[in-house]
Structure formats: C-alpha cells, structure tokens
Amino acid sequence: MLTDEKSKVIPLRVGMTTHRVPDPGVLVIFGATGDLTHRKLMPALFDLFCDGKLPQGFSVVGFARREKSNEQFRGEMRAAADEFARNKPGDSDRWDEFSQGLYYHRAEFHESQGYASLGELLKQIDAARGTRGNRLFYLATAPEYYALIVQQLGAADLCKSSGWTRVIVEKPFGRDLASAHELNMQLLPTFNEPQIYRIDHYLGKETVQNVMAFRFGNTIFEPIWNRNYIDHVQITAAESVGVEDRGGYYDKAGALRDMVQSHLLQLVSLTAMEPPVSFDSNAVHDEKVKVLRAIRPFTPERIERDIVRGQYGRGKSMLGYREEPRVDPNSSTETYVALKLNIDNWRWAGVPFCVRTGKRLQKRFTEIAIQFRAVPHPLFAREALQTVNPNALALRIQPDEGIHLRFAAKRPGQTTELREVKMDFYYKTAFGSAPGEAYETLLIDAMRGDSTLFNRKDEVEIAWSLITPVLEYWANAPAPNFPNYAAGAWGPEAADTFLQSEGREWRAA
Ligand code: BG6
C-alpha cells in the first residue's frame, strides 16, 4: 500500500501504479546534443525507466552532428539526468542498466550516408536488444531541419520497418499559416497522419488533462459551464523568467507565436469544447477543432481594440528585453500579450475569453479561471455584497497544482454580512505527490500510439489561421512604444485598462 513520508496510507494513491508498458522500441533523437534533450527528454526517459514504465530493451539513438563516442554521449546524458531528473543516477545502479541502451550516431542532417548507417545501427539494436523494428523518431533540432530530416528518412526507407514507425515533431510547428501548411505537406509523403505526433507539452501536463476529467467526469459542473452562468473566462500563463539563453529564437517568435498559438489556444479549446463522444483521439480533436473554428477572426479594428502587446524593460537588477543576449537592441518583439477572444457558438456567445501571457512578470503562475455571473437579486445588504466577488473557479495548472472555488459565506454572528471563502484542492496533498513531467506522459503516449494529447494537422493550421492576420497586421503597423512594462511588474498598464473598461479585472496571482 502506498504511503507518504509519515507512513500514512494515502487512499487516493491506491492503484496509481497501474500503467501499460509500451512495446519495445528505439527512440531516435535528432538534435541529441541540444538543450531539449538535456533538460527534458533524457531526464524524462530516465525517470520513466526508474519508475518501470519503459519496455524491456528500450533504446535511444542520439543523432547529431558533433563528433562523440557512445561513452561521451552517455556521460553527458548522465550529467543531464543528474541535473534535471527526479531520480539521480548516482543514487543506484539503475543508470548503468539504462545507459546500456544509449547510442550515439554522428551524421550530418543532409547526408544520405548518415541515414543508411542509421538503418544499419537500428537493425543491430533490434537484434541485440529485441526492439522488433519499432521506431520513434524525435525531431528536436532547429525547425529548419525538420523537412530535410523527414525527407532523408523517407529516402532511406526508414519510415517503414517490420514494426511501427512514428515521428514526433517539436514545437514550433511553423511560424505562420503558410509555413505550418508547408511543413504538413512536407511530412505527409513520408509519414501518414496517424504516424505524426505534433507536440505541445502543455497537453502532457497532468493538470491540463484534468480539465477534461473535471468537466466530463463530474455531473455538477457541466450544466453551469455556459453563457447562462459564466461572465467571462480568464486564462493566464505568467512567467517570471525572461528569455534566458533563447534570445535568438525568441526575438523572431514573440509571445503570440511562442505561447498563444500553441499552449494558450489549447487551454481555450479544452475549456470551451463540447463533451466528446469518447476519449478516442479523433473524437477529442474534432471537438477541439470546432472551438478553434468558432473563434471570431481578428480584423484590424479588433486587433487594435482587443489585443494589447508589451515588452519588458529593465527592472530591479533585471535586464530589459532589448539588453538580453542575441536580442536586437531595437527589437519590437512582444514579450507580453493580452487578448480577448469571442467564441461564436451557442454555449459561449457573449462570454469573452481573456487570455494573457508574458515573460518577466511578477510571479510564475498558469491558471484557467471561470468567473461566474453575479447573483441576480441582491438579497443581502448592498454593503455586504460589495465585499464579495461573484463565484470563481480556478484550475491552477502550475505551480501548486490544484482547483479552487470561491464562494460567499455568512459571517458568524447576528449579521447578514457575507465574506468570501474558498474551497481548495491540491494535487500534492490529495495524491501525495505533485504531478509528473509533461514529457514523460507524451513520450509514453507516442510509444503506445496514442495521439490524443498531440496536435492534429487541421488543429495546428486553424490555430495559425487565427494568429497569422495579427502577425501580419503588426508587421505593417508602426513600431510600438516599447518597452512598456518593467521586468518584474504585471505587464503593461494598457492590459489592465482594457479589462477595466468592461468592469472586469485580472485576477491576482
Ligand atoms: C515553451 C516556450 O513552449 O513553453 C517557452 O517556448 C516557455 O518560451 C515555455 O517558457 C513554458 O512552459 P512551462 O511548462 O514552463 O509553462
């Protein structure tokens, strides 16, 4: 039986170890010397291994351009796991066992010879470790190599084998509608749609998956989940970090591409979707796509009125964005964006979805907040009601993952005065541990052939079709007056006034 540190039984954890181990296979990571492999992929794989979730014989081939031996690669991966994994390689002999399945393959992305020799290596691994021709290719390089690698995989016939073959495509998937569509077209001659796994790591977060469980696994929320009861929805993804060492990438992307097109539109569609007929991947995608299609397109007038962008300047012992490494000192790239979305369908007509995200904000927090309408008739003293806000339900994605409901309660004593109180659920207390890393979930799902938590072709393109007119409008508009918020503040003032003008305000962290 599972217990916490104090050896108490945690009833909600009972049965949590149930999981289906995927078939044995080889994961080939293109760009294996990069940051993503170090920070996310290898630590996630090692943690999965330690938790007994990887199949027997599971192997990894790191494909990259730098000269390196298997031993050097294993040493670097060990250091990565040491720094970023939950389980530390030094704590047991598990690392030795895991690292026997790690191989390094040096090759140039454009040279067909490197793919032919990769094919040979994969056959040897199949024979030595029983991986049965099952292959998962992971595109973790800079995006400009994706099409080339896939084309080379096709030319070397590596997209077919005696087992299953799949490809995971890392974000960003394109930089606008045209490039995303082009990339889809470049993948499709080599891989069929069911073989393509377009990643959005937010979907692997336990709390994001829980949005569906919360809505459709309970009876009491769905009847009020609509325009009759909900005033508006607020979705916030606030980061306290700046662009870190990704200035080169970020300066060409900006917050709208980097966060809104992917993660935040995913949160919007999960919050707004109709119940799918099943948890079958296509059934879920169909409902999410319907939401994206129902979002009102941005016209120039709406861009001016319903979108606020910002860029951080210097803050207390923090650099301004334009001073960050590899950022243009005159950059007009937005590090903050707030926007109002309207979903034109029966359920959501008239209910704005207010979405904001930014870097170098005061605090890191991501949440979906459902703001309910005020009570229709003020039964309690007007002064009393003024002290309480209407009900709100916050799904806290991170940190302190949980769910919180705000409601009014009568203050004890001979009074009709009301006070705001909260009901709180925390994953960590209820289940005895904080939710696991998104990449662990997504890697296992891809190995198992479950694409529910990945993006479908039409989903990515519709999300881009919503964002692209805004990017184009901004590209031709006069340069904004940046910076317009200090690092460590809550974003530009204009983002507050644009909600205040409707009598609403952003929730505090
Ligand atoms: C990535 C973005 O997709 O998500 C980053 O490129 C951002 O800029 C990150 O910092 C946020 O992810 P998380 O899991 O830390 O919320």
Side-chain angles (χ1 to χ4, degrees):
M1 184 133 308
L2 292 149
T3 57
D4 66 6
E5 315 75 55
K6 294 184 196 118
S7 299
K8 275 192 306 203
V9 171
I10 302 172
L12 289 179
R13 295 206 69 189
V14 175
M16 267 176 57
T17 48
T18 321
H19 54 257
R20 245 183 60 209
V21 176
D23 295 339
V26 185
L27 172 69
V28 181
I29 306 177
F30 292 92
T33 50
D35 211 43
L36 183 75
T37 309
H38 279 80
R39 282 173 179 269
K40 298 289 180 190
L41 303 182
M42 201 49 69
L45 290 169
F46 184 56
D47 283 329
L48 287 169
F49 177 79
C50 292
D51 293 349
K53 291 183 180 165
L54 287 182
Q56 194 75 29
F58 172 80
S59 308
V60 178
V61 175
F63 184 119
R65 293 175 292 187
R66 288 183 214 156
E67 203 60 65
K68 216 179 279 290
S69 66
N70 276 346
E71 283 322 306
Q72 277 172 314
F73 180 59
R74 289 173 184 165
E76 286 172 16
M77 294 301 108
R78 183 186 169 116
D82 232 340
E83 191 170 353
F84 299 110
R86 282 181 281 114
N87 295 280
K88 299 299 166 199
D91 289 350
S92 69
D93 52 8
R94 308 243 56 197
W95 176 260
D96 294 339
E97 197 186 333
F98 173 73
S99 68
Q100 279 165 21
L102 301 187
Y103 302 82
Y104 186 73
H105 185 70
R106 199 214 79 80
E108 297 291 332
F109 298 137
H110 63 276
E111 277 175 12
S112 51
Q113 178 50 32
Y115 295 81
S117 48
L118 172 66
E120 289 310 311
L121 175 61
L122 291 174
K123 279 188 201 146
Q124 287 166 22
I125 297 175
D126 281 345
R129 297 181 55 86
T131 39
R132 304 188 206 161
N134 294 328
R135 308 177 179 345
L136 180 59
F137 298 106
Y138 199 123
L139 304 182
T141 60
E144 56 264 33
Y145 297 112
Y146 293 172
L148 173 67
I149 294 169
V150 167
Q151 189 202 340
Q152 291 283 1
L153 286 172
D157 245 7
L158 290 176
C159 52
K160 301 187 197 100
S161 79
S162 51
W164 48 255
T165 315
R166 299 177 189 131
V167 61
I168 299 184
V169 189
E170 235 327 305
K171 176 180 166 278
F173 196 96
R175 45 178 292 105
D176 54 18
L177 176 58
S179 55
H181 180 70
E182 193 186 346
L183 180 55
N184 274 325
M185 291 300 121
Q186 287 162 334
L187 297 177
L188 281 169
T190 305
F191 294 101
N192 301 323
E193 178 62 23
Q195 292 175 286
I196 304 172
Y197 290 68
R198 299 172 191 81
I199 216 161
D200 180 319
H201 80 277
Y202 262 53
L203 291 175
K205 289 181 191 279
E206 200 67 53
T207 37
V208 173
Q209 293 170 59
N210 197 42
V211 176
M212 277 202 280
F214 181 78
R215 290 188 55 199
F216 308 133
N218 295 292
T219 351
I220 60 172
F221 304 111
E222 219 25 46
I224 55 169
W225 209 262
N226 56 50
R227 64 191 306 276
N228 297 326
Y229 293 91
I230 296 176
D231 175 75
H232 72 289
V233 176
Q234 282 188 23
I235 301 186
T236 301
E239 295 188 89
S240 53
V241 292
V243 284
E244 301 176 287
D245 51 2
R246 297 164 71 229
Y249 149 77
Y250 194 89
D251 207 34
K252 294 196 196 78
L256 194 66
R257 282 192 179 92
D258 186 51
M259 292 292 289
V260 178
Q261 185 277 337
S262 48
H263 310 323
L264 291 175
L265 285 181
Q266 286 292 341
L267 297 185
V268 169
S269 42
L270 286 169
T271 309
M273 71 195 272
E274 295 301 317
V277 285
S278 72
F279 274 134
D280 166 71
S281 173
N282 273 328
V284 173
H285 286 298
D286 288 346
E287 295 307 333
K288 284 165 66 191
V289 161
K290 279 189 211 160
V291 173
L292 294 175
R293 281 193 204 287
I295 296 178
R296 194 178 303 164
F298 281 106
T299 56
E301 302 72 55
R302 287 202 54 231
I303 296 171
E304 288 292 341
R305 195 188 58 220
D306 291 347
I307 306 188
V308 172
R309 55 182 161 150
Q311 185 193 78
Y312 63 84
R314 275 192 188 182
K316 226 176 172 185
S317 55
M318 283 180 277
L319 292 179
Y321 174 70
R322 291 175 176 179
E323 301 162 304
E324 300 272 19
R326 291 186 294 285
V327 167
D328 175 356
N330 298 311
S331 175
S332 314
T333 300
E334 78 289 356
T335 59
Y336 176 100
V337 62
L339 59 162
K340 249 177 269 167
L341 299 174
N342 297 92
I343 302 178
D344 290 331
N345 64 17
W346 193 276
R347 186 190 282 258
W348 296 114
V351 180
F353 277 60
C354 309
V355 172
R356 63 177 167 161
T357 183
K359 292 211 183 270
R360 277 279 186 248
L361 299 183
Q362 207 175 90
K363 203 169 151 192
R364 171 177 181 252
F365 90 108
T366 304
E367 76 167 20
I368 301 169
I370 312 296
Q371 301 278 349
F372 290 93
R373 289 182 183 277
V375 290
H377 173 62
L379 193 57
F380 294 89
R382 194 168 293 279
E383 317 75 65
L385 266 181
Q386 273 166 5
T387 60
V388 295
N389 290 303
N391 296 127
L393 179 76
L395 310 180
R396 180 59 77 107
I397 309 293
Q398 60 192 18
D400 305 325
E401 292 82 355
I403 297 175
H404 309 279
L405 178 66
R406 178 177 76 199
F407 58 100
K410 182 187 162 301
R411 189 165 74 76
Q414 294 203 309
T415 169
T416 51
E417 220 182 292
L418 300 182
R419 283 281 185 273
E420 253 175 51
V421 291
K422 269 203 307 172
M423 268 195 305
D424 297 313
F425 151 75
Y426 290 98
Y427 271 83
K428 206 168 170 190
T429 357
F431 290 104
S433 63
E437 259 290 319
Y439 277 93
E440 294 176 36
T441 308
L442 296 173
L443 283 163
I444 286 288
D445 278 6
M447 289 180 217
R448 286 180 31 207
D450 183 349
S451 59
T452 315
L453 301 179
F454 293 81
N455 261 317
R456 204 169 62 182
K457 174 179 177 292
D458 50 347
E459 207 173 344
V460 176
E461 292 190 14
I462 298 168
W464 274 121
S465 69
L466 196 70
I467 295 303
T468 303
V470 183
L471 295 168
E472 285 169 356
Y473 179 82
W474 283 351
N476 296 314
N481 194 9
F482 283 168
N484 59 357
Y485 70 99
W490 269 121
E493 225 179 282
D496 292 332
T497 43
F498 113 128
L499 272 205
Q500 279 159 3
S501 61
E502 308 177 333
R504 299 179 172 120
E505 58 180 31
W506 293 111
R507 284 164 56 85

